[in-house]
Amino acid sequence: MVLVDLSTGTLVAEPDEPATVLEPSADHETLVSAAGGNAGPIAVLFPSFADGRGFSLARMLRDRLGFTGEIRAVGSLIPDQSQFLLRSGFDTAEIADPGAAETWKKTLTIIGRSYQPSARNPLPLRWNASAKAAAELDRALAATDDLVERIKLIAERIEGRIAFSTSVGLEDQVILQAIAKSGVAKSGAEIDVFTLDTGRLFPEVLETIELSELRYRTRIRLVAPDAREVEELVSRDGVYGFRQSVENRKSCCEVRKVRPLNRALQGAQGWIAGLRREQSQARADVPLAEWDAERGLIKINPIADWSDKRLNDYIDANNVVVNPLHAQGFVSIGCAPCTRAIEPGEDPRAGRWWWEAEDKKECGLHVAESERSAVPVAHREKAA
């Protein structure tokens, strides 16, 4: 048997014998007696891996009885318990195999953040996205003109999963190329790249996804809508019912795009999107970073301030993978039945839902819930 120091992962030379060995069933009087004796280390027995009562005993010794001496874990232990033992108040752990000490040391560093306070916090508490952090990031992004540097800033400032929802349009392809070039994923940043597979994508979109994965060596996850919800939607409104009214179309977007997006964003701390101010009047004031209170994350638009010229110049200079539909007059590309090519001089989003009025045509992905609620409740509930 050897003893591992849980604060460093190193072996303890010439450890003291424990003054007391506590069974997991020890009552309050036994704990008081052990803590008051102060004659040496207190050992807490773990009779099996599944028995977690020892963690509670260590917490009571530290928090309730104020014991400051060494608490040692003995018995059936595995390396994965190292950080939890340390956070519960243990100082050392007795292991049978000296060769396993290196594994114990590695497990002490594999987790970077704690989710809640403990008897001992060797790690900082988990970083949480906030409105203040969003405002600070917005200013930091505005201070640099280089897209790759902006991606690095995003990865540095946001801890945890960063979701990148891509439509593989021009803006998103530029961002994907910059993410790959920045190397942030290789440096440990958790960038989750996904696209919404509505079931009605152009074949060219799927081909562009495959080419992008090969070029940038990045998996692009396909996020599909709930099959039952789609069946109920089509049963109610018809295959092309979204052309019958704005309400029907918004219900279709809600089921095929908005709800899958919200599921994909759950648990993310940041959300990267390809919005630009020049795309439409409704997006004229899009910030580089903002707080999304409804989803509880920071939404980042790293090229919000780019002009059309700068976007195209970047694509040409970096040989960015481009959807072939763009060369055929498709500027803003959504689902195939809802997208057409535009004529020279038309608004970039004129090809989306062209049978509707031009004012604020949005699918709901980048619209607050309070604004999407303009869809009649009946439509929203029936689609649920």
Side-chain angles (χ1 to χ4, degrees), residues 125-201:
L125 292 179
R126 178 180 181 268
W127 182 90
N128 284 307
S130 66
K132 180 181 178 182
E136 291 173 350
L137 179 58
D138 184 68
R139 289 191 291 270
L141 294 176
T144 179
D145 223 18
D146 185 273
L147 179 56
V148 171
E149 288 304 312
R150 284 182 174 180
I151 297 298
K152 290 179 179 178
L153 270 173
I154 294 166
E156 289 171 4
R157 296 293 187 96
I158 297 180
E159 299 179 13
R161 183 165 68 93
I162 302 172
F164 172 32
S165 59
T166 174
S167 66
V168 298
L170 295 179
E171 290 82 1
D172 292 332
Q173 288 299 93
V174 162
I175 294 171
L176 182 64
Q177 186 273 343
I179 289 174
K181 186 176 180 180
S182 71
V184 294
K186 293 181 180 178
S187 300
E190 187 182 356
I191 309 291
D192 175 23
V193 185
F194 67 89
T195 194
L196 300 175
D197 185 1
T198 63
R200 290 183 163 177
L201 298 179

Side-chain angles (χ1 to χ4, degrees), residues 224-239:
D226 182 273
R228 180 185 59 81
E229 291 181 351
V230 172
E231 289 178 3
E232 291 178 357
L233 175 77
V234 174
S235 176
R236 186 190 72 229
D237 294 341
V239 176

Side-chain angles (χ1 to χ4, degrees), residues 4 48 83 98 122 158 164 174 240-241 277 350 355 370:
V4 175
S48 70
Q83 284 206 7
I158 297 180
F164 172 32
V174 162
Y240 287 98
R277 294 163 190 165
W355 59 89
S370 57

